[in-house]
Amino acid sequence: MANVQRQFETFHNRIKPGFFKGEQPLREKRDRLWERLQRELPEIAQDAAEILALRIQGSYQTRTTVTKVKGEIDIDVGLYLDVDIGRFGPVEVKRWVYEALEGHTQEVDFRRHCIRVKYQRGFHVDLAVYAAGKSNGGDCYLAVGKRHSENGHKEWEQSNPRKLHDLIIDNFDEDERRQLRRTVRYLKRWSELHFRQRGDAAPTGIALTTAAYHYFDPKGLGVFRNGEPNDLEALRDLTQDLLDAFNGDEIEVRFPAAPHDDLFGEMTSIQQKNFKHELQKLHRVLGDASCSSSQTEACALLSEVFTEDFPDGNEKLQLEDEESRGSEIASVLAGSAVAFVVGLIVKGLVQKFVDRKQDLQLWLQRNRREIVQVVRNMGAVVLMIGVGWLIWSAFSD
């Protein structure tokens, strides 16, 4: 089986939003929204709503955001208000928020599940409005409804939007979470390429992320699969589990917290059938790539579903050269800081052993090159000390 892990990780870096390296740009936008709401909302709501928090959530919180082939990146933010849902309706409260933000940017939209604030940097903020706090017994409710919705299409929907993130943290260790996030990003890019661009209804990002939470199984290379990550096998197994979850041509995946809604429920039967058909094609390609003995052939197969953004087999040589150059620099630095590095490694070994034996094995596997290099440097230092001692002994006699 060809090893295409480096190609997958390169592909992942290409589809991960570049301007979100570091959270400062988004934090600045959030802080400006907060200042605007603090200034405008109390007067508009006549002090009927207390602002509790403004929280980043959704795909940015779970770190599964991808760049768009076409269109804007959407960032989910939750506005939490202490407002009595027995006195005020969801559309009324959303109207307060809309009026407070109107004019904040060139375009602010009143949508069914949020207030959308568009920015010129190629993304927008979907501001979901929640009623929480003491007025509602500590429960959280999402304001649902358009500006002119009839009563049957507007409601306070019980919600726990941050629960999925907490469950992922609780059920997967750090390395497993990294692979899960990469796998979700691969699925999101595949979904945009094979559904949205041709006009078909695509599964939502939250549906794919929740499906990964339910069905994802970490995969690594090696006999015991405890070596470096194997994203190809993780994605292949996930697509198989998703196909197994279909009942005929329909699939149901529920959010693991209130309101426990079916995240594929808004897709029609025809759209779900088409989703299954495309998923079967993806699974076949992943299987063929997994069975391929040629890295070049495996990469060519994967580029059929992920486009030319997925690197070819020749790119691995470039990555290895970069790593080799980095190792040369590291070895020079290590020679003058052997004791410090060894101390860190010993400390890391002890901590890893205490925490989890499996994590220790994975850490050793991933850092074997650095460990070997340090041992070599230690040997060189010991040799130099020994030679120095012999010389000193000869002259001292």
Side-chain angles (χ1 to χ4, degrees):
M1 180 182 70
N3 183 350
V4 293
Q5 181 60 26
R6 293 184 185 278
Q7 282 74 18
F8 260 107
E9 292 183 3
T10 298
F11 174 58
H12 173 258
N13 290 334
R14 289 175 178 175
I15 64 176
K16 184 173 63 173
F19 70 85
F20 288 132
K21 292 179 180 178
E23 298 182 351
Q24 192 61 31
L26 187 55
R27 290 186 184 278
E28 290 175 359
K29 296 292 187 294
R30 183 196 60 185
D31 291 344
R32 290 175 187 173
L33 283 173
W34 175 264
E35 292 169 1
R36 175 87 177 202
L37 289 166
Q38 289 276 23
R39 184 174 66 251
E40 302 290 342
L41 187 61
E43 181 178 354
I44 294 172
Q46 297 181 354
D47 295 322
E50 177 187 355
I51 301 176
L52 299 176
L54 192 65
R55 297 172 178 166
I56 296 169
Q57 53 195 40
S59 63
Y60 189 82
Q61 183 192 28
T62 57
R63 299 191 178 277
T64 57
T65 306
V66 295
T67 57
K68 298 290 186 180
V69 178
K70 291 184 178 179
E72 299 176 329
I73 295 174
D74 62 289
I75 306 300
D76 297 312
V77 176
L79 171 63
Y80 294 80
L81 305 173
D82 190 349
V83 57
D84 188 352
I85 63 173
R87 292 181 56 200
F88 303 99
V91 172
E92 182 180 9
V93 174
K94 284 177 68 176
R95 179 179 56 78
W96 298 342
V97 176
Y98 174 81
E99 291 179 3
L101 293 176
E102 193 173 19
H104 181 64
T105 64
Q106 290 185 351
E107 189 172 352
V108 179
D109 296 334
F110 195 118
R111 303 175 71 88
R112 187 166 188 265
H113 288 92
C114 66
I115 303 297
R116 175 167 292 180
V117 182
K118 292 191 175 184
Y119 292 88
Q120 295 180 350
R121 293 188 63 187
F123 73 98
H124 59 259
V125 170
D126 283 340
L127 186 69
V129 180
Y130 297 93
K134 297 179 181 178
S135 299
N136 304 291
D139 292 328
C140 183
Y141 297 88
L142 172 66
V144 178
K146 296 182 179 180
R147 191 199 303 262
H148 302 296
S149 292
E150 298 178 356
N151 289 334
H153 297 282
K154 54 186 178 182
E155 62 174 325
W156 284 111
E157 179 183 86
Q158 189 169 7
S159 180
N160 192 344
R162 300 172 66 87
K163 184 65 175 178
L164 178 60
H165 172 262
D166 295 340
L167 287 171
I168 291 174
I169 295 293
D170 292 341
N171 287 277
F172 300 96
D173 67 30
E174 184 176 352
D175 290 322
E176 292 169 346
R177 291 196 298 272
R178 287 196 185 101
Q179 189 177 56
L180 184 150
R181 290 193 291 264
R182 292 195 302 270
T183 304
V184 170
R185 282 188 169 118
Y186 303 147
L187 281 178
K188 285 186 174 183
R189 171 50 63 91
W190 165 80
S191 175
E192 183 184 5
L193 290 170
H194 294 271
F195 293 96
R196 298 187 190 279
Q197 289 212 23
R198 66 187 197 194
D200 296 340
T204 63
I206 186 63
L208 295 175
T209 306
T210 303
Y213 163 72
H214 285 299
Y215 298 115
F216 171 77
D217 185 22
K219 290 292 184 292
L221 296 171
V223 177
F224 300 104
R225 299 198 170 193
N226 59 350
E228 69 173 305
N230 188 342
D231 290 3
L232 173 58
E233 289 304 302
L235 183 58
R236 185 170 74 98
D237 283 9
L238 177 57
T239 55
Q240 181 61 66
D241 289 342
L242 278 172
L243 288 169
D244 292 342
F246 273 84
N247 181 12
D249 290 328
E250 296 185 351
I251 184 173
E252 178 181 296
V253 174
R254 294 197 171 274
F255 190 74
H260 298 285
D261 48 336
D262 177 14
L263 299 172
F264 290 93
E266 293 188 3
M267 297 176 69
T268 66
S269 297
I270 294 176
Q271 290 167 349
Q272 291 193 29
K273 182 177 181 179
N274 186 41
F275 172 53
K276 179 182 179 181
H277 176 67
E278 293 295 333
L279 198 61
Q280 287 171 330
K281 292 197 296 185
L282 172 62
H283 183 70
R284 282 196 296 269
V285 171
L286 295 172
D288 291 342
S290 179
C291 295
S292 176
S293 59
S294 165
Q295 187 180 80
T296 301
E297 180 184 2
C299 290
L301 289 168
L302 293 167
S303 67
E304 292 179 5
V305 292
F306 295 122
T307 72
E308 66 276 4
D309 284 336
F310 195 93
D312 59 36
N314 296 325
E315 193 155 351
K316 180 183 177 183
L317 298 176
Q318 180 182 353
L319 291 172
E320 287 182 342
D321 289 341
E322 291 173 357
E323 182 177 342
S324 176
R325 289 194 294 272
S327 297
E328 292 174 3
I329 296 172
S331 65
V332 174
L333 295 175
S336 61
V338 172
F340 177 73
V341 174
V342 170
L344 288 178
I345 290 177
V346 171
K347 181 180 178 181
L349 284 171
V350 173
Q351 185 62 44
K352 291 287 183 179
F353 184 82
V354 171
D355 289 343
R356 193 174 178 185
K357 184 178 179 180
Q358 183 179 0
D359 286 347
L360 173 61
Q361 294 172 335
L362 182 60
W363 183 86
L364 288 170
Q365 184 75 13
R366 288 183 172 178
N367 294 277
R368 60 187 182 276
R369 294 178 181 172
E370 288 79 3
I371 293 173
V372 169
Q373 186 63 52
V374 169
V375 170
R376 287 175 179 172
N377 287 335
M378 288 178 63
V381 171
V382 171
L383 179 60
M384 292 174 63
I385 292 173
V387 171
W389 180 80
L390 288 173
I391 295 173
W392 177 84
S393 299
F395 281 99
S396 63
D397 291 338

